[in-house]
Amino acid sequence: MVLQWIKGHPQFLKNPLYIGGDSYSGKTVPIITQEVSEGNEVGREPPMNLKGYILGNPFTDPTYDVNSRIKFAHNMALISDALYESTKTNCKGEYVQVDPSNAPCVENLQEVTQCLQKINSPQILEPICSTMSPKPKGFKWDKNFVGENFLDMPHRYPEPWCRAYNYLFSFIWANDKTVQNALHVREGTIRDWERCNQSFSSSYAHDVRTSLDYHRNLTKKNLRALVYSGDHDMFVPYVGTEEWITSLNLSIDYTWRPWFVNGQVAGYTKAYTRKAYSLTYATVKGAGHAATEYNPRECFPMIDRWLSYYYI
């Protein structure tokens, strides 16, 4: 698809190409980046000016992403020291593929679940909305679900503000014909827009358990990578992301240090190298899953600096 787009827009052929995405794109972006890089190496036409890739809060490998949730919860004081140490010992650090006959481990994980089940995993400081959530599977756009009463909906429930209301409003925006015309959506190609369209999942095989091998391959190429994490995301915790980056065995370019926006600490960063390859890692302070949604004022200068000046 990237190649088709470039062929259809040849005026962008010489522009630097960075392939990026958030969340589940942690599985697909490294694959696409490797495919484009290898295509250039074998002389595929037209050649693309590939420079690197960008990943935010990326799903990479369940061994790191899911196992790290308990360590993250302990770091954030969501589970006690005693429960964390007991769980780590009894489960031997494995919380994904649990032996059901290991009764102490199973019991500990049940206690962990009791502590965490009412926590909003994408951003642990924000509320879980129990009323009129627009995100569950099966929720579809209803053309009749508009109007003044609908727009007043967030104010009619005795709950704190809920981020899910933003997702509901996106249905109005994306299904508006004026918006679709402005985006040059071809008439008839889509009937009703859905956020996180689940129908696509049935069309593809979920056969990539981990994208780590692709990352390892990319470290051998002349590429740049930016990986960032919202530090309040328990869905794909920064803890696991830092661990899989460490597993790449790269050299340290610069050590852990703060980065700033408008004179305030916006997060922390560390950089790695291997010959012509470089990887910059950054946390975004206070952000959830994914950081660009929660902290756009910090993420924009972060990415802009990295693209323009090679540092954050």
Side-chain angles (χ1 to χ4, degrees):
M1 187 172 290
V2 177
L3 187 61
Q4 291 175 346
W5 191 90
I6 288 290
K7 287 180 177 178
H9 303 81
Q11 67 271 29
F12 297 108
L13 190 59
K14 294 183 179 180
N15 285 21
L17 173 62
Y18 291 89
I19 299 171
D22 288 335
S23 191
Y24 196 78
S25 295
K27 294 286 188 71
T28 59
V29 164
I31 298 174
I32 296 169
T33 304
Q34 179 174 302
E35 180 69 17
V36 172
S37 176
E38 291 178 347
N40 285 344
E41 291 169 0
V42 299
R44 182 184 296 155
E45 294 291 337
M48 298 188 218
N49 190 16
L50 179 66
K51 296 297 184 181
Y53 57 103
I54 302 172
L55 290 169
N57 301 66
F59 280 107
T60 303
D61 184 308
T63 301
Y64 293 99
D65 299 332
V66 181
N67 268 338
S68 65
R69 291 172 183 171
I70 289 181
K71 184 176 181 180
F72 172 89
H74 176 246
N75 289 354
M76 292 297 193
L78 302 179
I79 60 176
S80 69
D81 292 346
L83 177 57
Y84 174 66
E85 292 299 335
S86 177
T87 305
K88 184 170 67 171
T89 299
N90 290 329
C91 298
K92 299 179 174 61
E94 176 55 63
Y95 315 119
V96 180
Q97 297 177 338
V98 178
D99 179 1
S101 65
N102 185 346
C105 173
V106 172
E107 183 177 335
N108 284 154
L109 290 177
Q110 289 173 344
E111 293 180 63
V112 169
T113 298
Q114 290 177 353
C115 292
L116 302 182
Q117 62 186 353
K118 297 297 184 180
I119 297 292
N120 183 29
S121 291
Q123 216 294 1
I124 64 170
L125 299 184
E126 291 192 357
I128 292 179
C129 299
S130 58
T131 306
M132 189 49 209
S133 173
K135 255 187 125 177
K137 292 180 180 178
F139 183 91
K140 293 186 177 181
W141 167 250
D142 182 350
K143 295 181 178 65
N144 298 317
F145 197 47
V146 294
E148 183 177 351
N149 291 337
F150 166 72
L151 294 175
D152 287 339
M153 179 270 295
H155 307 291
R156 292 191 286 111
Y157 293 99
E159 290 191 357
W161 170 86
C162 181
R163 182 170 297 275
Y165 297 144
N166 293 351
Y167 307 140
L168 192 55
F169 293 144
S170 72
F171 284 91
I172 301 175
W173 180 82
N175 284 283
D176 185 281
K177 290 300 180 185
T178 304
V179 172
Q180 293 183 359
N181 290 337
L183 294 174
H184 303 286
V185 176
R186 293 192 299 274
E187 189 72 29
T189 57
I190 184 171
R191 190 175 72 175
D192 295 324
W193 179 87
E194 293 182 49
R195 183 179 182 272
C196 298
N197 190 334
Q198 299 294 326
S199 65
F200 288 119
S201 62
S202 62
S203 304
Y204 298 94
H206 292 254
D207 56 357
V208 180
R209 183 181 182 275
T210 174
S211 57
L212 263 179
D213 289 339
Y214 295 93
H215 281 287
R216 293 189 182 100
N217 293 339
L218 294 173
T219 65
K220 303 171 186 176
K221 301 180 184 295
N222 182 12
L223 294 172
R224 303 173 60 217
L226 170 63
V227 181
Y228 57 89
S229 298
D231 66 7
H232 279 61
D233 172 15
M234 191 165 63
F235 208 45
V236 182
Y238 72 90
V239 178
T241 301
E242 292 176 8
E243 288 176 352
W244 70 251
I245 290 174
T246 300
S247 77
L248 298 177
N249 293 319
L250 303 171
S251 300
I252 305 297
D253 185 7
Y254 61 77
T255 56
W256 190 263
R257 67 190 189 194
W259 61 277
F260 299 85
V261 174
N262 295 327
Q264 301 296 317
V265 175
Y268 294 83
T269 179
K270 185 176 182 179
Y272 305 80
T273 62
R274 174 179 287 166
K275 296 183 179 179
Y277 176 86
S278 66
L279 186 153
T280 301
Y281 173 70
T283 64
V284 183
K285 185 165 67 73
H289 187 95
T292 47
E293 174 184 348
Y294 287 81
N295 291 46
R297 292 181 181 178
E298 289 76 24
C299 288
F300 180 81
M302 172 188 70
I303 294 174
D304 182 58
R305 293 172 194 168
W306 182 80
L307 289 172
S308 302
Y309 307 112
Y310 287 59
Y311 66 87
I312 294 177

Short mmCIF file of all heavy atoms in Angstrom, two decimals, residues 83-93 95 102 105 108:
data_model
loop_
_atom_site.label_atom_id
_atom_site.label_comp_id
_atom_site.label_asym_id
_atom_site.label_seq_id
_atom_site.Cartn_x
_atom_site.Cartn_y
_atom_site.Cartn_z
N LEU A 83 2.23 -8.36 48.32
CA LEU A 83 1.54 -9.09 47.25
C LEU A 83 2.43 -9.21 46.02
O LEU A 83 2.48 -10.27 45.37
CB LEU A 83 0.22 -8.41 46.90
CG LEU A 83 -0.58 -9.03 45.74
CD1 LEU A 83 -0.88 -10.51 46.03
CD2 LEU A 83 -1.88 -8.26 45.50
N TYR A 84 3.14 -8.15 45.69
CA TYR A 84 4.02 -8.20 44.52
C TYR A 84 5.12 -9.24 44.70
O TYR A 84 5.37 -10.06 43.80
CB TYR A 84 4.64 -6.82 44.27
CG TYR A 84 5.67 -6.82 43.16
CD1 TYR A 84 5.30 -7.07 41.85
CD2 TYR A 84 7.02 -6.60 43.45
CE1 TYR A 84 6.24 -7.09 40.82
CE2 TYR A 84 7.97 -6.61 42.43
CZ TYR A 84 7.57 -6.86 41.12
OH TYR A 84 8.51 -6.89 40.11
N GLU A 85 5.77 -9.22 45.86
CA GLU A 85 6.87 -10.15 46.09
C GLU A 85 6.36 -11.60 46.12
O GLU A 85 7.00 -12.50 45.57
CB GLU A 85 7.59 -9.82 47.40
CG GLU A 85 8.34 -8.50 47.38
CD GLU A 85 9.45 -8.46 46.33
OE1 GLU A 85 9.96 -9.55 45.96
OE2 GLU A 85 9.79 -7.36 45.86
N SER A 86 5.20 -11.82 46.72
CA SER A 86 4.63 -13.16 46.77
C SER A 86 4.27 -13.65 45.38
O SER A 86 4.55 -14.80 45.00
CB SER A 86 3.38 -13.17 47.67
OG SER A 86 2.78 -14.44 47.68
N THR A 87 3.66 -12.77 44.57
CA THR A 87 3.27 -13.14 43.21
C THR A 87 4.49 -13.42 42.35
O THR A 87 4.53 -14.40 41.59
CB THR A 87 2.43 -12.01 42.57
OG1 THR A 87 1.32 -11.71 43.41
CG2 THR A 87 1.92 -12.42 41.20
N LYS A 88 5.49 -12.57 42.46
CA LYS A 88 6.71 -12.76 41.68
C LYS A 88 7.39 -14.08 42.03
O LYS A 88 7.87 -14.81 41.16
CB LYS A 88 7.67 -11.59 41.92
CG LYS A 88 8.94 -11.65 41.08
CD LYS A 88 9.73 -10.36 41.17
CE LYS A 88 10.28 -10.14 42.57
NZ LYS A 88 11.24 -8.99 42.61
N THR A 89 7.40 -14.42 43.33
CA THR A 89 8.03 -15.66 43.77
C THR A 89 7.22 -16.88 43.35
O THR A 89 7.76 -17.84 42.77
CB THR A 89 8.20 -15.65 45.30
OG1 THR A 89 9.04 -14.55 45.68
CG2 THR A 89 8.81 -16.96 45.79
N ASN A 90 5.93 -16.86 43.64
CA ASN A 90 5.10 -18.03 43.37
C ASN A 90 4.88 -18.28 41.88
O ASN A 90 4.75 -19.43 41.45
CB ASN A 90 3.75 -17.89 44.08
CG ASN A 90 3.87 -18.00 45.58
OD1 ASN A 90 4.74 -18.71 46.09
ND2 ASN A 90 3.01 -17.31 46.31
N CYS A 91 4.82 -17.20 41.09
CA CYS A 91 4.61 -17.36 39.64
C CYS A 91 5.91 -17.38 38.87
O CYS A 91 5.90 -17.53 37.64
CB CYS A 91 3.71 -16.24 39.12
SG CYS A 91 2.05 -16.20 39.85
N LYS A 92 7.02 -17.17 39.59
CA LYS A 92 8.36 -17.16 38.97
C LYS A 92 8.45 -16.13 37.84
O LYS A 92 9.12 -16.34 36.82
CB LYS A 92 8.72 -18.56 38.45
CG LYS A 92 8.77 -19.62 39.54
CD LYS A 92 9.10 -20.98 38.98
CE LYS A 92 9.29 -22.01 40.09
NZ LYS A 92 8.07 -22.20 40.92
N GLY A 93 7.74 -15.02 38.02
CA GLY A 93 7.81 -13.92 37.06
C GLY A 93 7.01 -14.15 35.79
O GLY A 93 7.05 -13.31 34.88
N TYR A 95 3.37 -14.35 34.23
CA TYR A 95 1.97 -14.06 34.52
C TYR A 95 1.06 -14.24 33.30
O TYR A 95 -0.13 -13.96 33.38
CB TYR A 95 1.84 -12.62 35.03
CG TYR A 95 2.88 -12.25 36.07
CD1 TYR A 95 3.80 -11.22 35.85
CD2 TYR A 95 2.97 -12.96 37.26
CE1 TYR A 95 4.75 -10.89 36.79
CE2 TYR A 95 3.93 -12.64 38.22
CZ TYR A 95 4.82 -11.61 37.97
OH TYR A 95 5.78 -11.29 38.90
N ASN A 102 -0.51 -24.56 39.78
CA ASN A 102 0.29 -23.78 40.73
C ASN A 102 -0.67 -22.93 41.56
O ASN A 102 -0.89 -21.75 41.26
CB ASN A 102 1.30 -22.92 39.97
CG ASN A 102 2.25 -22.16 40.90
OD1 ASN A 102 2.01 -22.07 42.11
ND2 ASN A 102 3.30 -21.61 40.32
N CYS A 105 0.34 -19.39 42.97
CA CYS A 105 0.40 -18.39 41.91
C CYS A 105 -0.99 -17.95 41.50
O CYS A 105 -1.27 -16.75 41.39
CB CYS A 105 1.16 -18.95 40.72
SG CYS A 105 1.14 -17.89 39.25
N ASN A 108 -2.49 -15.73 44.13
CA ASN A 108 -1.90 -14.38 44.10
C ASN A 108 -2.46 -13.55 42.94
O ASN A 108 -2.77 -12.37 43.10
CB ASN A 108 -0.39 -14.46 43.96
CG ASN A 108 0.31 -14.84 45.25
OD1 ASN A 108 1.41 -15.40 45.23
ND2 ASN A 108 -0.30 -14.56 46.39
#
